[in-house]
Amino acid sequence: VIDPHLDTPVYVQLADILRARIRSGELAPRRMIPSIRTLQQEYAVSDRTVKHATQLLRDEGLVHTVQGRGVFVTAQPPPG
Amino acid sequence: VIDPHLDTPVYVQLADILRARIRSGELAPRRMIPSIRTLQQEYAVSDRTVKHATQLLRDEGLVHTVQGRGVFVTAQPPPG
DNA sequence: GCCCATTTGTACGTATGTATG
DNA sequence: GCATACATACGTACAAATGGG
C-alpha cells in the first residue's frame, strides 16, 4: 500500500512494491507486469509516477521493455 | 499571534507557535506542516522568517524535510 | 523577491505490435 | 500489400507545488 505521507517518494514506494511482487514470484519471469494504466489505477497514482517506478526497475535490470507490448520480468535476474 | 514589537525575534515567536501546534496534536506526526508560502501569508511574515523558524524546528528534530514534498512532523519526537 | 532541484501531475507526440478492414 | 483503429510503451514539454540557497 502506498502512503503519500511517507518520506519515501511515491515512485520509490511503487518500485519497492513491484520489486517485492517480482521477487515473491507473483510476477514471474518472461511474464508481463500490469500495464502502466492498470498500475496507475490500481495504486491511484499518475502515469508519470508509474513510468518513474518502472524506470528504476529497468535500470536494475529486473524488467525490460518491449515496445508496443509491455514491460516484462527479466528471465535471468541480474547477478548481485 | 505574532507581535513584531516584542523582544523575542519574530522567527522565534513563529517557531514557538508551530511547536505548540505540533505538541497540541493539531499538526500530527507524519503529516505535513503548512507550506512556507502558506505560513508566510497566515502570519504575515516574510519567507525568510518562516524558513528561519522551520530551521529551528528541524534542528530540534521536531520536523524534517522531504525534497519536493514539504516539511513533515517527525514521527518519533526526539528523546529529552 | 529571485533562481534552482525535486516531486507529482497532465498533455502531446512517437514507436511498436495486434487486430480488423 | 495497405490503411485504420487500438493497445502498449517511451520521451518530452509544460505546469504546479514544495523546500533550499
Side-chain angles (χ1 to χ4, degrees), chain A residues 21-22 24-33 72-75:
Chain A
R21 291 177 66 176
I22 291 176
S24 76
E26 178 198 343
L27 301 179
R30 313 196 62 83
R31 299 241 6 188
M32 200 184 81
I33 71 175
F72 292 79
V73 180
T74 299

Side-chain angles (χ1 to χ4, degrees), chain A residues 52-71:
Chain A
H52 207 156
T54 54
Q55 176 78 47
L56 288 186
L57 300 181
R58 199 176 317 120
D59 292 344
E60 297 171 11
L62 216 57
V63 300
H64 61 279
T65 293
V66 182
Q67 275 283 24
R69 299 276 299 283
V71 177

Side-chain angles (χ1 to χ4, degrees), chain A residues 4-9, chain B residues 30-31 64 66 69 72:
Chain A
H5 300 110
L6 291 181
D7 298 351
T8 312
Chain B
R30 313 199 66 82
R31 299 243 6 186
H64 61 280
V66 181
R69 303 275 295 279
F72 292 78

Side-chain angles (χ1 to χ4, degrees), chain B residues 24-41:
Chain B
S24 76
E26 178 200 342
L27 301 179
R30 313 199 66 82
R31 299 243 6 186
M32 202 182 82
I33 71 174
S35 73
I36 285 185
R37 290 157 184 81
T38 299
L39 292 173
Q40 182 175 343
Q41 295 178 20

Side-chain angles (χ1 to χ4, degrees), chain B residues 2-3 7 14 16 21-22 24 27 47 56-58 60 64 74 76-78:
Chain B
I2 290 181
D3 184 351
D7 297 348
L14 179 55
D16 288 342
R21 291 177 65 176
I22 290 175
S24 76
L27 301 179
D47 74 324
L56 287 187
L57 301 182
R58 199 176 315 121
E60 297 172 10
H64 61 280
T74 300
Q76 287 293 339

